[in-house]
Amino acid sequence: MPQIFRPSADTIARILLVSILIGPFVAIGIGYAVTQSPYITGQNITMKQPVPFSHAHHAGDLAIDCRYCHAGVEKSAFAGMPPTTTCMTCHSQLYTNEPMLAPVRQSLAERKPIHWQRVHRLPDYVYFDHSIHVAKGIGCTTCHGPVGTMPLMRQHESLTMGWCLSCHRDPTPYLRPENQVFNSDWKPPADQREQGKKLLAHYLIETRHLTDCSTCHR
Amino acid sequence: MSSLALNRIDTPPADTERWVLPSGQSDEAVNRIVSAPLLQPHKWTWRAWWIAFAVSGAMTVMMIVSASWLLIRGVGVWGNNTTVVWGFGIANYVWWIGIGNAGTLISSMLLLMRQHWRASINRFAEAMTLFAASIAGLFPILHLGRPLYFYWLTPYPNTMLLWPQWRSALIWDFWAILSYLLFSIVFWYVGLIPDFATLRDRARSNLPRKVYGALALGWRGSARHWHFYEIYHKAMAALAVPLVVSLHSVVGLDFAASLMPGWAETIFPPYFVVGAMYSGFAMVVVLAALVRWGFRMQAIITVSHFDVMAKVMLMASIVMGLSYATEWFDAWYGGDHAERSLVTFMFTGSYAPIYFVMLFCNVLAPQAFWLPAVRRSVFAVFVIAVIINVGMWLERILIILNTLSHTHLPSMRHLFFPTIWDWTLLFGSLGFFTFMFLIFVRLVPSVSMHEVRHILHEGAQR
Amino acid sequence: MSSVTPKQKAAALSTVELDRRAALKLLASGMALSLASCGKPPEEIVPYVDQPERLVPGIPLKFATTLDMAGYGRGVIAISVEGRPIKVEGNPRHPASLGATDVFAEASVLTLYDPDRSKAPRGPKGIASWDAFGDALRTQMEKEKTRAGAGLRLVSGRITSPTLLRQIDGLLKQFPQARWYRYEPVSDDNERDGAIMAFGRPLTPLPRIGEAAVILSLNADFLGSGPHQIANGRAFASARKADAGAEQFLRLYVAEPVLSLTGANADHWLAIRPELIRNIALTVAATLRGEKANAPLPPEAEHFAAAAAADLKSKAGKAIVMAGRAQPAELHALCHTINNMLHAPVDLIEPVDPAGKHGEALHAFADDLSNSRIETLLILDANPAYDAPRELGFKAGFPKLPFSAHLGLYDDETAAICHWHLPLSHTLESWSDLRAFDGTASIVQPLIRPLYDTRSMHQVLALLGGALSPVSYDLVRETWQPRGGDDFDSWWRQVLHDGVIAQTRHAAVSAQPRTIAIKPAASPAESVLVLAPDPSIWDGRHANNAWLQECPKPLSKETWGNTLSVSSRDAQQLRCATGDVITLKYKDVSVEAVVRVTANQAGGAYATTLGYGRRKAGAIGDGAGFDVYPLRGIDEPWLMSGVTIAKTGKTRDIPTTQGQFRLEGETTQFLPRVSLAALAAGLKGPPFEEGPKPTLYPPVQNDDPYAWAMVIDTAACIGCNACLVACQAENNVPVVGPDQILRSRVMHWLRVDTYTDANGGIQGFQPVPCMHCEHAPCEPVCPVAASVHDREGLNVQVYNRCIGTRFCQSNCPYKVRRFNWFGYADDEEYANLGEPPIKAQHNPDVTVRGRGVMEKCTYCVQRISRARRNAEKENRTIKEGEVVTACQAACPTRAISFGNLKDARAHVNALRKEKRHYELLGHLGTRPRTTYLARLINPNPDFGEAKS
C-alpha cells in the first residue's frame, strides 16, 4: 500500500497539537494588550478643536489659575467649561483681530456657544465628581497630566477602571497638601509615602469605601 | 504483549454470544458491518438518511432563526416574566446536560465495572454526549440578558481589574460544562483513533484515505500503541466518573444553593445525577434502536443490550420515585410553611396536570420493565425510553415553574406562559441534535470496531 | 394605540434643538443625560455663551412653585438641572402639600415633556401663527364690541387664580353681555347646595381630621385622590398615632357602595346602596336627638349605624360626619346639622372657587348652544367634547359656531372640532397664581422657558381684552401689587422663596345650620351605576401621562384602563366573571365595559371610574379603557339608577400588576394587623420576634459611620401610590406598557402590596422596596458580582456589570428586582416614550438602564452619594434628615422613614425599637434593612360581630 503522507506530516501534526494547547493563552494576551492600547483608551490622542486653545500658553506660560476658566471644579461634579464671555474678558483687549480667535468673537456676536470636542470622556455609567477630588487633595495634573506643557489638550492617562482603582485602593502616592492642588507643576516629595499617610488622615479619607461599586456607579 | 494488555482490561472473559450474533462473529464481519454506512452504504439506508437529514436540517434552521430573533429583539421574546425569571432556557439546559451525561457514564463507569456489552453502544453514546453537552452549553448563554458578555464568567485579565464571583453556582456550572466538554471530546476522539486507522486501511478512494489517515494520527496498531492506548483509556475512564458525577451535582447546586422553597434541598445533587443518567440512558436506547435498525447492526447491537439498559432505567425510575417522595416528605416533616404550600401547589396548583403526567412518565411507565417480555421487545423499550425523555423534560421545567411562580410573597405570584420562541428553540435544538448525529453516523464509525473485536477475541480465547 | 406621525416626530426633534439653544442652553448630551449606551460618536461640550449668575453646571437648583390640581393649587419645590425641571417635591410651607406630593404632582414633569403636547397654534387652515390668531380674534372681537359681547362665551374648568379671576372680571365688565361658564367633570355641586340649604350660602366645610376621635364617612372618600388628599392623609395619620391612646386614637366608620381608599383604611366598613346612605345619617341624627329613627335599613346596616351613632355621641366634640360628592344636597345639609350637634371640629370657609354651580353653567351652556346664541366661543383648558354630559349635544351644536377657539396642552377631542387650537403653556412654563382648597394663595413661577410656541391662559385672556403682547409676569405682579405694598420687590422675592403668600387662607366663619327635614329613602329596586374620578388619571385630563396610566390603582391594581366593578353576588346572578365584556345601558346610551368582580361592593351597585376611552388624548391615552361620560347627565353626574347590563360574550384581559390574595394562617405574618388592646398587651410570636436569627455567615459589622435603613409604618400608609410614582420620576424607571403588564412584567422599583382578609376586605397596604438585606440572597448567586454590598449596608446593583442571568431575582424572596426584558428605556420604549423631549426629564444622576440588565431600588443611592460628598467636603458626617429618599419625600402620611442606624439619635433606630416593628420574611435570616411597623386597627369593642 502506498504511503498516504510525506514524513513532514509528523512535524505538522506535532505543531498543530502544541498550538492547540498554547493558542488560547496567546489570544487572551493579545486581547489584553489591545484593550489597554490607546486605540481603545484614547490615551494621548489630540483632537481637532474649533479653536486651537493652548493650555501650554495660558496655564503654562501665563500661569493662569485652572479655576479661572474651570470655575465649577470646587463646587460641582463637572469642572465647568468657560463661557465665551470668559474668553472675551481678555480677548476683547488682546489679539482682537487674531483670525485664530474668529470663532470666539463669532460666538459672542451670534450668541451661539462654541462646540468643543470632549477630550476626557468617561462612560455614562461612571459618576466622577471633580469637586470631591480637589477637596481631598487630588491635584489637576494627577489625572490630566502636565497640562501646562500641552499646546493642544490630550488625554494623558488611560482612564480605565483599573487606573481609577489604582488610586482608589491606595491614594497616598497622589495626595497633595491643600495649597498644592492647583499647582500645575507639583512634584511628589521624596517622602511622599509618609506625607500621603498624614494627608490621608488630614482629609479624613475613608479608603475602604472608595472601592465600593456605589462610589462611582449608580 | 498486546494480548496481555487486553487481558488486563476485559477479564473475566465475555459471554460473547449474548452481545454479538454469529453473523458478526469475526473481525472482518465487524469491520464490514460498522464501516459499511461510511464506505459503501445501502441504497435504502441512503434514502432514509437523506430524508432524516433534510427534516433535521430544517429544524436546525428553525433553531437558528429562533436564536437570532432572540439575540436581535432581546430575551423578552420568551415567556419569562418578573416573577418567573427563568423558563425554558434553563430547563432545556438541564435536560440536555442530563442527556449529555450518559455517554461518558456508559463508556467509563461500565468500562471500570467490566461490562463488555458497552462495547457496541459506547461510541455513539459518547457522540450523543458530545452533541447534547454542546447544545446544553448554548442555552445558559442564550438565556442571558446580555449574551455578548458571557465571557465575564471567565477569569481573564482585564482593564477593569474585575474577576468572576466564585461563590455563584453559575460559575461552578460554567467550569463544569467547559471541562466536561473538553474531556468528552478528547476521550471520544482518542477512542476513535484505532477505528480511524481501520477506515483508513479499508477506504478505497483517496480522499477518505487521506482524511481518516490524518485523523488516525499514524496509528499502526503496534503492541506499543495498544499498550499506551489502554493505559490512557483506563486513566481517562477513571477520571471521567468523578467528573460526570460532579457535573450534574453542580447543575443541581444551581437550584440547591438558593433560598427558594422547593430548591433549597440537600438531595438535589444526587437526585440530579440520577435523573441525568436516567434521561441519558433513555436517549441512548432511542439512538441505539435507530442505529441498529437504520444500519442493519442487529448482529452487534442485540436484544440483550436493550434488556440490560431497560434494567438500568428501571432502577433509575425507582430512585427518581424515591427522590420525589423525599421532597414531599421533607416539606411535610420540615414543617416550613412555604415548603408545604409549595407541595400543595404542585399537586393542586395550576401546573398539577403537568406534574401528574411527569410522575407517570418518570415513575409509572418504566415499571413495565419488570416484565422480561417488555425488556426484550426493542420497540417497547424504545417507546418507554421516549416517554421517559418527555417526562424528564417536564420534570426540569416544573422544578423551575413551580418554585418561581409560587414565590414566598403571594403578591408577586405569576404564572409562566411559553411563547412561540420558547417552543421553536426547544424543538430546534432537538433537530440540531439529530442533524449532528446524522452527520456523525455518516462520517465516523458509530460502533467501536476495535472494542467489539476485543469481545470476540475474549470469546475466542476461552 | 395611535402611533406618532412622522410629522409630529420631526416637530418634536426640531423643537428640542430649539429648546436646547433657547431654553436649556445647557451642556449637551454627554453632560446632560446619562444613557447606558456606549460606542457613541465623539462627544461635544457646549458651554454657555454667557453663564447665568447662580447656575453652576452639575448642581441642581430648587424653586418653589405651585401646581394645579383640578383648579386648586398645590405648592411644590421643583428641582431643575441645567435648566430642566426633572422632579417635583412637596413644599412644607404649603397647606395642600405639607412637604408631600401625590401621584399627579409627581407625574407633572412627564406631562411637561410629553411629545404629544401641541406645539403651535392650529387655525381653520392647518398650522398657523399666534399673529394669525390675533388678527382673526381682533376682527371677531370688533363684532362683539358692537353688541357688548352678547355672542362671547368663555368655557373653563375651575379657576382659583386671583389674576385669572381679575382678568375674567375685567373682560366681563368690558363685555357686559358676555358669559363665563365654569364646570369641572368632578363637580362639588351637591356639597355646595347642601351648604346653601344649611347655611343659606355656599360655605365650604374643612374638617379638622387631625383633632377627630371618631369619623363617620358617608360615601366620602376624603383619603382618595383629589386636592385634599395630602392634607387629609397627613391629618388622618396624625390622628391614628400608636402612642395617642385608645381615647384619642381616631376610629373610622365608612359606609359606601364601593370600596374606596378611605374605606380600605376604615375600622368598620359597610357596603350599602348609595340611596340608603341617607337613612344611616337619619338614624345617627335621631340617635343624637335621643329619638327613635324611622329610616329602614338592612339589619347589618342598622347595626352599623347604631354603633357608629353611639360612638359619635360618646366622642362629641371630637366626632365628625362627612358626606361624599355623590350624595344628594339634603344629606350634606343633614351632615352639617349633625356636625353642629356634635360640635364637630369642622371649619367653614367662604368658597375658594367663586363661580356658581357647575350644573347651572352646563345647563346655560347647553341652552346657548341649542339656541345658537354663541358667536365667539373660547374654551380655556377644558375638554367638553369629551367630558361634557350627554344633554349638551355638544357636537351637534358646535359646527354652527362662527368662531371657536380651544386653548389647551393637547390637540384633543374639543380642539378637533374648534376652528382654532391654541397651545397652552404647562404650569412649569408659565407665571401665574393659584389658591389651595383652603384659600391659601401662592405664585406659579416657570422653571423653563416654554418648550414650544405656547401661551399662558393669562396671555390669551389679555388678547381677548385687546392687549397686543401681554406678559403673564406683569399681569400676576399687577394682581398682587396692592398686597405687596411699598417694598413690593422684596415682598415678591419672599413670596417666591416661600412658595406661599402669608395670611391668604380663608378665615373660618361661624354659621348655624338650619334643620331641614329630609325623608328616608325606600330601598331601591333598580341597579345603580356609581361613578367616581379615577385614582390614576382623575377626570381624563392626565390620560396621556404614561406614569399615571401604568400606576396600579390602589385597590384593584389595574393599569392602563378602567373596569366595571360588580359585586360577587350580582356577578353570580348575571353569570359574568372578571374579564367579561358587557354592554352597560342607561337610558338610550350604552357603553361596552369590562367586568371586574369584587367582594367589596354593595349588591345592585356597579361602579367604574371616569377619564378613560379618550379618542384624541395622544399616543399614550388613546383607546385605554372605556368612556362613561356619555352615560352622565348634568343633574345626575355620579349615580345613575336604572342601568342595565347585557353580556356580549367577548372577554378581555385586564392588565393588573398583582392578583388579590388572601392572607390566612402564617401568611398574616406578612402584613399583621394589631388592635390597640393587643399592642398594649404586648405582641408575641412571629413576626414580632426579638433578636437576630442564628446564621452561619459572619455578622455584618464594620466601623463605618453609616448603616442605612428604612422603616415603613403600614399603619400610616393609606395606599395613595405617591411613593411609587415619585420613585419612577427620581430613578428613570421606564414604562413597559399594557402588553408587558399582561405578560406579568413590571418595572416599578417600589410596589404597594395589598392583601385581602378572609372576608375579602382589604387587609392594608404594604409598600415593598428593596429590603437591602444584610445577608442578601441575591449577592452570592451573581456570577459576575453585579449584585454586591457596599460598606454602608446598601445592596447595590451594578448595571454596567450585570449580564442578565436573573439568578438574583429568582433567589430573591421578596421579588423586588426588575429585569429589562426589552430595552424599555433603551430604544425599545413604549409608544412615543423614546422621543427626545422625554429624555430631557431623565435624572442625570441615575443611569438609564439598557436591555437585558437587572435593576432595583437603590435607596436613592444618588442622593446618599450627593449628601456624602457635600458632607466630606465640609469634613463632617451626614446629618439625620440630610438624605431623604424619593418615596419618603413623597409620602403624605410620613409612613416611610429613612436614616442611619449608626446614628443613635436617628428616627429609624427609635422605630426599630417599637413593639409593632417586624421584618418581612425575617425567618429566612436575610436580615432586611427595610423593616415594617404592623398595621394598627381600632375596631369598636361594642360593635359586636364586626365586618360580617
Side-chain angles (χ1 to χ4, degrees), chain B residues 11 30 35 53 55 79 97 196 201 216 254 335 350 369 375 392 461:
Chain B
T11 48
V30 170
S35 58
F53 188 72
V55 173
I97 201 74
F196 278 137
D201 303 343
D254 284 350
S350 326
F369 287 144
R375 290 205 303 274
M392 284 311 291
Q461 276 174 3

Side-chain angles (χ1 to χ4, degrees), chain A residues 48-54 57-58 91 94-106 114 116 151-152:
Chain A
K48 186 169 183 330
Q49 299 288 2
V51 181
F53 178 85
S54 164
H57 176 60
H58 292 82
H91 288 295
L94 308 166
Y95 307 107
T96 45
N97 297 323
E98 184 62 45
M100 204 190 284
L101 294 173
V104 184
R105 294 191 293 271
Q106 187 187 5
I114 306 171
W116 299 96
L152 275 178

